Structure formats: C-alpha cells, structure tokens
Amino acid sequence: MTVRSDSVPMSALDRAFSWAAAQTPSVTDTDFGALLRVRGPAPDRDTLRRIVAAGVQRAPVLAYRLQAGRWKPSIGFDIGRHLRYHPLAPGTDPTEAVPWVKRHALPENAPLWDLTVLDGYRDDEYALCYRVHHAFQDGVAMAATMEALFGTRQLPPPHTTPTLSVRPHPTPSHSTPARPWVDLAVPVRRGPVWPPGVVPPTGHRRLHVVDLDHAAIRAVARKTGSTRNQVCLAVLAGAVRDWAYDGTFPGGRHLGPKVTLPLHLRSGDAHAALGNTLGMLPITLPCALDRPAERLHHLMQQTSPQRLERHRARFRTVLRAAPFWLLRPLFARLADPRYIAAMATTIRLSPLLAVAGAPVRQAVFHPPLAPGHTVVFGMLQHGERVSVSVLIDTAVPAAGLAACLHQELAALHASPAPDSP
C-alpha cells in the first residue's frame, strides 16, 4: 500500500485529548466511534481485509500512527492488526457489546483505531464497531472516515494540519446576549451535583440507544424555526428533568445542569480527518422551565448561529496560538464534572453507506466518556433516523430514560406553534 511520506505534528488539542485519556480509570474511556448494523451475513476475514484495504485508499489517515509527537505513515502497516471478530449469542443487542469492545486496548505502535465484527445475534444481520482514540480523530473526522471506508468519499492524505479560517464577526441579533463580553467560553460557577443521588461509580459501562421519531423532530423544527439539533437538545433537557429529577428541577440559582457541546472548526470539506479541530461550548439544559416550548426557546437562544460563530472564532484564535500547557487548564475546566454535568455531541453520517454492497440499515454513535464523568450523551443523524446514545456507568440507574425521551418529543410536538393563541 502506498502512502505519502508526509508527517503532521500533534496539535496542542491532540495532546489535550491524550492527556485526558490518561486521567480516566481506563485509558479507553475516551475512545469513541460508530456501530453500523449491516444487512446480510458477515464477511470472512479475507473479504473484510480487502474491503478495509480499499477503504484505506480513500482514507489514507487510517495508515498514520503517532511517533515522537508527530503523526506519520506507519511503516509495515498491517490491516489485520486492526480487525477483530466477536461472536454474540442469538437475540443479543449488538450495542450491549460496545463497552466490551472499548475495554480492549487499541493496537500498540500502530494507527489508533480498530474495527470489530459483531456476529451471530441475527441470521440476516451483523454489526461493525469502529473505534478511534480521541487524540487521533474528533467526531467530524470520524464521520468522514466512516464515509470513506463504507461510502464513496475521498479524503486527502494528511500532509497539512486542518485549516482554521477566520470568518467575519457575526452581526448581533435579538437572539444573542446583550453583553457578549461576559459570554465566556468556560463555566465560572460550579453546577448542581450530577447525577443526583448517585453512589460511587463502578467503572463498568452500558450503552443505551433510543431511536427518536424523525418526522416529529422535523415537524417541530419547521413549526418553531429551530434546527433539528436544537430540537434534540430540548428533548434531552425535558427527558433529563423527568428521568433524573422526577419532573421537578430543584431550582435555586441553577436553571439546570450544564453540558458541553463540541464546536467543529474545520473550514470546507477537504480535510484529511486527522487530529482534533474543535472548540467546546457550555450550555445549560433548562430543566427548571416547566413547558417544553420554553425549554426549546431557551436552547435556541443559547445555540443561536451568532453565538456559535462567536465561540468558533474565539477557539480558532486560541488553537492557532495556545501551547499545550496553556490549553490544558481550559480543557480540564470544560471536562470537570463539578462544572460540567455531561458532554452532548451531535454527529451526522451519510445514509449512503454499504459494506460489500450490503446497505447499512442503522448507525449508532458510541461517545467518549470524559474523566470523572458517569454519563455522556451522543446524538446521531443517519438518513431518516435520529438516535440518542447514552453511555452510562452502571451506578447510574437508567430505568425510564427511553420513555422520558419519547414522552418529551411527543410533548414538544404537541406544543402550539409560537404564533398560536
């Protein structure tokens, strides 16, 4: 296999994610990726090796490894070291195996990814679990790689660092804060204890996946002038209120727990899917607000295009100049469970994915778990499917979460439009 001889220095943000992995009880907690459920029988090892080899030609990043602080083409790159097979008992949900996959270390002295075939749970389906180290790729890079491996996307070789463009500062609008200079990129006050009443973590994880009604999400977005991401966040806020707080947030000076949203900073589509190019935006899940429409409106204000672009501009400036030693305390605050209750990531994946001609029927995001956290939320849009993934420590009771998500979307869908009497 031919790869370019270029090498790319590890960015300060890549180093920050490498540092974060070392702070977790298991260094694989911050690994993440996607699970693809594919129609038909699973390919054998030789067939899968050929499929992935063709995909690596479209995604050369997969042949790059970390060496002496630089991403370099891996000499003697062996695809077989990155492929695993794990049989499941008939009737098993393959998402239950994701924590098992993530407990195993990635290949040493090799590119920081692997692909596990989960087979045997159904006669007419198998699953592929792609996993990557967060120092190696962020969510956008992961999605781009999946679309190259199992689609037609072509990624350039990683010969330069991703472009961080500077865009004009947005014109203020009614949806931006009146005093933007106090709109900080990091939380300054500690938040409510999260999750409430939890015993010490066990270190064991479970992945819960809930499919939402995409038609209802689209209808709410059209009715309110919101985005689908904003609708999903509002659904999450209402579900957290009912699931974690029995329908009534305690209030006080907190409107709700804070979560961190990744802000992707890459400009354009032609990037090599290497490393991390993102900022982080802390927002409040307004669990103290009683009405679903109020919660959505509050989240629309917090995630307005103007505010998102303002924070992107700040992080572009910081990431161009900040060394790792300066970036680490900022990064640590944005992942500190005393200030940030959980991470909430949204990923979009092309619906036109297939493996050896067999269509991918469902894609599921399995998110990374930050140091000290017991819950992380991930939302993935794949064609006409929208799913919420919750990776959770087994100390946190998950009973009722799926029902709360469905009920909140139904309540939001039934809410009157803004101009209704």
Side-chain angles (χ1 to χ4, degrees), residues 109-152:
N109 303 315
L112 295 173
W113 64 274
D114 65 9
L115 186 70
T116 301
V117 178
L118 302 171
D119 191 23
Y121 62 95
R122 279 179 58 166
D123 293 336
D124 61 347
E125 181 186 289
Y126 67 97
L128 292 174
C129 184
Y130 176 75
R131 175 177 58 142
V132 63
H133 195 292
H134 213 320
F136 182 55
Q137 290 186 319
D138 59 23
V140 167
M142 181 276 294
T145 302
M146 297 296 287
E147 292 170 357
L149 268 176
F150 305 115
T152 59

Side-chain angles (χ1 to χ4, degrees), residues 207-385:
L207 180 65
H208 301 267
V209 180
V210 182
D211 277 340
L212 298 179
D213 184 343
H214 194 199
I217 291 174
R218 284 200 312 262
V220 173
R222 285 196 303 267
K223 177 175 64 175
T224 60
S226 60
T227 66
R228 285 178 291 181
N229 284 352
Q230 290 168 337
V231 175
C232 288
L233 288 172
V235 169
L236 182 61
V240 165
R241 170 189 166 100
D242 293 338
W243 167 59
Y245 298 102
D246 295 326
T248 305
F249 186 74
R253 64 187 176 94
H254 299 293
L255 188 60
K258 283 191 177 293
V259 299
T260 296
L261 304 181
L263 295 178
H264 303 295
L265 309 180
R266 283 183 170 92
S267 60
D269 191 54
H271 61 76
L274 176 65
N276 291 265
T277 310
L278 54 83
M280 297 182 188
L281 176 68
I283 67 166
T284 298
L285 294 181
C287 298
L289 299 180
D290 292 329
R291 293 190 300 163
E294 287 181 311
R295 293 193 286 270
L296 175 57
H297 179 70
H298 194 276
L299 286 160
M300 289 171 66
Q301 290 182 311
Q302 291 188 81
T303 58
S304 68
Q306 294 79 12
R307 186 173 190 237
L308 295 182
E309 191 51 46
R310 182 168 61 249
H311 280 267
R312 285 191 176 100
R314 288 177 180 175
F315 275 99
R316 288 186 182 107
T317 300
V318 169
L319 294 180
R320 271 197 301 268
F324 168 62
W325 65 266
L326 186 60
L327 189 62
R328 191 175 76 175
L330 170 67
F331 189 85
R333 173 61 64 87
L334 286 166
D336 190 330
R338 295 171 300 177
Y339 295 86
I340 294 293
M343 307 294 174
T345 302
T346 299
I347 299 292
R348 286 190 180 90
L349 201 57
S350 168
L352 304 177
L353 302 183
V355 184
V360 172
R361 60 171 293 268
Q362 183 184 19
V364 170
F365 181 47
H366 58 89
L369 193 62
H373 287 248
T374 55
V375 179
V376 60
F377 301 103
M379 291 162 279
L380 186 141
Q381 298 178 26
H382 173 240
E384 292 300 303
R385 302 184 77 120

Side-chain angles (χ1 to χ4, degrees), residues 14-38:
D14 297 344
R15 293 179 184 274
F17 276 106
S18 182
W19 168 81
Q23 310 309 307
T24 59
S26 169
V27 294
T28 61
D29 271 352
T30 55
D31 295 352
F32 73 103
L35 179 81
L36 306 182
R37 300 179 67 155
V38 188

